[in-house]
Amino acid sequence: MPGLATMSLDNMFCTRCGDGFEPNEKIVNSNGELWHTNCFVCAQCFRVFPEGTFYEFEGRKYCERDFQVLFAPCCGKCGEFVIGRVIKAMNANWHPSCFRCEECNVELADAGFIKNGGRALCHTCNARIKADGLLNYMCHKCHGVIDGEPLRYRGEVYHGYHFTCATCGVELDHTAREVKHRPGYAANDVNNLFCLRCHDKMGIPICGACRRPIEERIVTALGKHWHVEHFVCAKCEKPFHGHRHYEKKGLAYCEQHYHQLFGNLCYVCNQVIAGDVFTALNKAWCVHHFACSVCDAPLSTRSKFYEYDERPACRRCYEKFPAELRRRLRRAHHYTIRR
Amino acid sequence: MSHQPPVSCIPNTGKMSKAKKVIEEAKENNNPEIDLVDKGLSSLDEIPGLFSLANITRLSVSHNKIQVVPAALANLANLEILNLANNYITELPVSLSSLPKLRILNVSLNRLNGLPRGFGSFPVLEILDLTYNNLNEKNLPGNFFIMDSLRALYLGDNDFEYLPAEIGNLKNLQILSMRENDLIEVPRELGQLARLRELHLQGNRLVVLPPEIGSLDLASNKSVLRLEGNFWVPHIEDQLKLGPSHVLDYLRSETYKVLYSRHMSAKPAPPPQTLDKSKKASRAA
Ligand SMILES: [Zn+2]
Ligand SMILES: [Zn+2]
Ligand SMILES: [Zn+2]
Ligand SMILES: [Zn+2]
Ligand SMILES: [Zn+2]
Ligand SMILES: [Zn+2]
Ligand SMILES: [Zn+2]
Ligand SMILES: [Zn+2]
């Protein structure tokens, strides 16, 4: 460690508050960062760290208790905090030893798993259950065994040949579509089965992700229709739920990942900046849009501009501001410099 | 235009012909961006052919003497940017709100005493600049906070004492400036604006902040949080001296949640109005 004693107190400052240290004051040195003893505290509870133990996250230090409360995920099985390796699966977090096949109880963390009817299964159990399932479908009407895929209707399984298309009368198979809601119809009038061809003609839109009909809220984007919950960011797969999305090469992204993958968005046109980027005042501009926010006159890197609510105002505009506003802006400017 | 004072009826021919030239050049070159900044204009009706430029995408008429915004401006159906900054405008026509492509509207440095009913119906507005007018929570139209396409809302230098809780509906808001108003209180719903990266609250009459503000991402190096020039309780003031990120840390603490709820139930009298607004240009008759 570069000896503390050899450093001059004059250029030693507390990492948290920025103030200097008194001679003979006790100084905390953590990985070369210096702190007042009072400042070396948990970012959440402001208490000193019990036994000096702290957890660091995004540049902040937390005591063990607060770190767990704030950031450590809870195991989906035992409910304890997961410290160390976290298995993220089935929309939950798990200790590696808690995430097991729901049939044979083998650990899945390293072997991988398959989602089957909302359950996490090992490859062996999944294969067995799938085979059993195909063999064991029993028709709800005739109680006979169904070979191959069954037709699903009002929550039951049937042989397709017990039904005909509500429009054209053709005998149905497992590809038949059940329609539950249709705008302008009562539920009982539409709870019916149709062959694929007639279903398509009814104009019920098909989701671009799951290829199933969309009978409730619909999103239209990228030239396709989507279930609200199936129109998702191509990177994080979270649904946009009406939030703005950004398109690139036929894919949609959330703002965060669009930024992350493709760079800055221009403050004016809100498009990704392909060429040169002007950055100032925590914002970015494309070449065409770097301009005074009051008069729209173009600015260049060499233009002098004034900051006005974290936007640039050109000299001409600044001079046309009411005198009392200029006075207040000058005072605010001094404040920022002092800071 | 018989109701206008005679002096504005004598068009300054030198200036008018300049404006006329801009329009004619735009027509010839098919230029979609019209610049009529600082041309001494007192009315947009006087500019021949302006409303027939249906393909223009930007109209900048900052630094003129325009009092009335003609409803016919809404004929410019391709307009994306409309800049009316620093004029003498006291009211806006509701027709503006139907401009189908308008993304940026700047009416800063004017004399707005209110906004028309139905103002909030802009379909795609992203940046709305109403800085330096005479607006407050009582003269906003009822549908103001349905503009959930807004990325930035600038209301600095106005007369707000309260920010309506519906601000929480503006889910896409990244920038909110309430600089130098008369704010006594901001609502908890501000904490719902998950995308907020710039919050200007400096120069108001605030004493406490809702703890929910602590959950916003306002401490990163791309964020701006301005809090100075308020009447903060000592604990917030102390943290502010260390920097805005310390305030956010403090707002998240259990101690502060208790302090905030005690403060809110005690309902102390608000601090005095300190800004002298009588000299504001927006007050000129
Ligand atoms: Zn310190
Ligand atoms: Zn566990
Ligand atoms: Zn059967
Ligand atoms: Zn059919
Ligand atoms: Zn779908
Ligand atoms: Zn994403
Ligand atoms: Zn741009
Ligand atoms: Zn300018």
Side-chain angles (χ1 to χ4, degrees):
Chain A
M1 193 182 307
L4 265 186
T6 64
M7 287 171 70
S8 153
L9 270 186
D10 292 342
N11 44 37
M12 289 164 52
F13 300 100
C14 170
T15 306
R16 177 152 174 262
C17 71
D19 284 346
F21 299 93
E22 300 294 324
N24 302 323
E25 183 177 352
K26 202 170 162 230
I27 297 173
V28 181
N29 178 338
S30 168
N31 290 327
E33 290 181 337
L34 306 179
W35 313 71
H36 297 109
T37 43
N38 292 337
C39 286
F40 192 64
V41 292
C42 168
Q44 178 72 4
C45 66
F46 300 106
R47 282 186 218 128
V48 294
F49 302 110
E51 285 145 41
T53 308
F54 60 84
Y55 291 77
E56 205 154 353
F57 188 74
E58 291 186 336
R60 297 212 180 86
K61 297 180 170 62
Y62 299 89
C63 67
E64 178 163 0
R65 188 188 146 272
D66 280 317
F67 178 78
Q68 291 185 352
V69 170
L70 289 169
F71 306 113
C74 281
C75 172
K77 182 159 185 213
C78 67
E80 300 285 328
F81 291 118
V82 187
I83 311 276
R85 185 174 175 205
V86 183
I87 307 299
K88 287 184 182 287
M90 310 294 290
N91 296 321
N93 299 286
W94 316 82
H95 295 104
S97 59
C98 287
F99 186 56
R100 289 168 183 270
C101 171
E102 288 173 53
E103 278 289 313
C104 71
N105 212 30
V106 68
E107 274 193 36
L108 298 172
D110 297 304
F113 71 101
I114 308 235
K115 210 165 148 180
N116 183 325
R119 303 194 306 157
L121 301 179
C122 70
H123 290 273
T124 325
C125 288
N126 179 64
R128 192 187 68 240
I129 285 182
K130 214 168 143 192
D132 288 355
L134 282 177
L135 289 176
N136 286 344
Y137 280 125
M138 192 178 75
C139 174
H140 189 66
K141 185 172 166 103
C142 70
H143 304 294
V145 169
I146 304 171
D147 289 328
E149 287 274 302
L151 184 156
R152 292 171 192 275
Y153 181 49
R154 299 191 186 192
E156 304 291 350
V157 290
Y158 298 90
H159 290 108
Y161 52 72
H162 295 305
F163 296 89
T164 55
C165 169
T167 305
C168 71
V170 77
E171 184 184 295
L172 295 173
D173 59 19
H174 72 274
T175 62
R177 289 272 159 88
E178 182 181 3
V179 172
K180 292 177 193 148
H181 318 266
R182 235 178 128 190
Y185 291 80
N188 280 338
D189 294 340
V190 293
N191 198 323
N192 251 324
L193 288 165
F194 298 86
C195 72
L196 265 186
R197 257 186 54 221
C198 290
H199 186 265
D200 285 350
K201 278 194 225 147
M202 288 163 71
I204 293 178
I206 301 295
C207 172
C210 69
R211 315 301 310 166
R212 303 286 308 162
I214 308 170
E215 297 177 5
E216 281 154 44
R217 282 178 59 207
I218 180 166
V219 182
T220 305
L222 304 169
K224 292 180 188 156
H225 302 297
W226 313 83
H227 287 110
V228 173
E229 62 279 12
H230 290 158
F231 184 51
V232 301
C233 166
K235 170 94 174 140
C236 66
E237 302 189 337
K238 288 204 186 96
F240 297 110
H241 285 307
H243 276 308
R244 200 188 165 112
H245 71 276
Y246 297 82
E247 300 183 9
K248 179 107 172 174
K249 293 193 176 148
L251 295 174
Y253 298 88
C254 70
E255 178 179 289
Q256 185 197 343
H257 290 115
Y258 195 85
H259 266 286
Q260 190 186 320
L261 295 167
F262 310 113
N264 287 311
L265 295 178
C266 168
Y267 173 71
V268 173
C269 62
N270 207 28
Q271 302 294 310
V272 167
I273 304 172
D276 286 344
V277 183
F278 291 95
T279 52
L281 308 170
N282 305 302
K283 298 179 178 61
W285 286 266
C286 70
V287 178
H288 184 63
H289 286 131
F290 187 46
C292 169
S293 61
V294 185
C295 71
D296 302 322
L299 294 170
S300 80
T301 39
R302 272 162 294 140
S303 316
K304 180 173 166 60
F305 61 80
Y306 294 80
E307 182 257 310
Y308 179 48
D309 283 338
E310 294 286 318
R311 289 169 298 165
C314 73
R315 177 174 217 128
R316 171 180 67 166
C317 285
Y318 182 81
E319 280 164 8
K320 285 183 177 293
F321 280 168
E324 66 87 25
L325 172 60
R326 284 205 306 263
R327 213 171 306 127
R328 283 187 284 129
L329 290 177
R330 266 199 305 276
R331 224 182 303 135
H333 188 63
H334 286 145
Y335 175 89
T336 335
I337 289 181
R338 205 158 41 82
R339 213 170 35 154
Chain B
M1 296 282 106
S2 56
H3 62 279
Q4 294 212 345
V7 52
S8 72
C9 282
I10 307 165
N12 183 325
T13 44
K15 282 170 181 166
M16 270 322 297
S17 60
K18 264 193 228 160
K20 215 171 141 187
K21 219 173 125 200
V22 171
I23 302 296
E24 269 155 20
E25 277 174 12
K27 267 188 185 161
E28 265 169 41
N29 309 332
N30 239 334
N31 182 3
E33 305 199 335
I34 305 287
D35 230 302
L36 291 169
V37 173
D38 197 12
K39 295 276 186 280
L41 301 172
S42 51
S43 164
L44 289 175
D45 286 316
E46 297 166 29
I47 307 169
L50 175 63
F51 300 135
S52 62
L53 295 174
N55 58 341
I56 63 170
T57 58
R58 173 166 72 81
L59 176 62
S60 307
V61 291
S62 321
H63 307 307
N64 285 293
K65 295 177 180 132
I66 297 162
Q67 296 182 2
V68 176
V69 179
L73 207 55
N75 295 346
L76 303 176
N78 284 300
L79 218 50
E80 293 180 30
I81 302 179
L82 175 59
N83 193 339
L84 301 163
N86 199 22
N87 279 283
Y88 300 163
I89 299 165
T90 50
E91 54 183 30
L92 293 170
V94 70
S95 65
L96 282 192
S97 308
S98 64
L99 279 167
K101 298 183 180 172
L102 194 69
R103 294 187 303 103
I104 302 182
L105 175 62
N106 188 339
V107 204
S108 66
L109 292 154
N110 275 287
R111 299 172 183 178
L112 292 174
N113 294 312
L115 295 168
R117 275 183 73 182
F119 178 80
S121 52
F122 292 97
V124 295
L125 197 63
E126 296 177 16
I127 302 180
L128 175 58
D129 190 346
L130 296 168
T131 309
Y132 208 100
N133 280 286
N134 306 315
L135 299 172
N136 60 56
E137 64 278 9
K138 294 183 205 90
N139 60 28
L140 287 187
N143 72 346
F144 189 84
F145 292 101
I146 66 163
M147 292 187 277
D148 60 2
S149 54
L150 280 184
R151 286 189 277 130
L153 176 58
Y154 295 96
L155 292 171
D157 288 322
N158 277 288
D159 307 322
F160 285 84
E161 291 195 339
Y162 293 91
L163 183 60
E166 293 83 49
I167 188 79
N169 299 343
L170 303 183
K171 295 279 181 259
N172 288 301
L173 210 60
Q174 297 167 19
I175 300 174
L176 174 63
S177 175
M178 298 300 300
R179 173 182 55 77
E180 293 176 290
N181 275 263
D182 295 312
L183 285 179
I184 293 167
E185 200 175 299
V186 292
R188 286 176 178 266
E189 285 76 5
L190 260 189
Q192 296 168 6
L193 302 180
R195 299 180 170 209
L196 205 64
R197 295 295 174 272
E198 248 185 59
L199 178 59
H200 303 251
L201 293 173
Q202 70 270 42
N204 281 287
R205 297 153 69 192
L206 297 169
V207 179
V208 292
L209 283 170
E212 287 80 1
I213 305 273
S215 64
L216 294 174
D217 183 10
L218 290 167
S220 83
N221 58 350
K222 284 215 158 192
S223 303
V224 175
L225 175 61
R226 301 288 299 267
L227 298 172
E228 68 274 12
N230 280 285
F231 294 80
W232 302 118
V233 291
H235 283 82
I236 293 186
E237 192 64 50
D238 288 348
Q239 297 297 320
L240 186 55
K241 283 185 192 124
L242 307 180
S245 68
H246 289 253
V247 178
L248 294 172
D249 287 343
Y250 175 59
L251 295 186
R252 284 194 293 269
S253 67
E254 292 300 322
T255 337
Y256 180 70
K257 280 180 197 140
V258 175
L259 189 144
Y260 178 78
S261 62
R262 278 192 199 141
H263 180 94
M264 294 311 279
S265 47
K267 289 200 174 55
Q273 227 261 31
T274 48
L275 296 169
D276 175 15
K277 299 191 168 183
S278 60
K279 301 229 166 52
K280 269 182 76 179
S282 60
R283 295 286 201 268

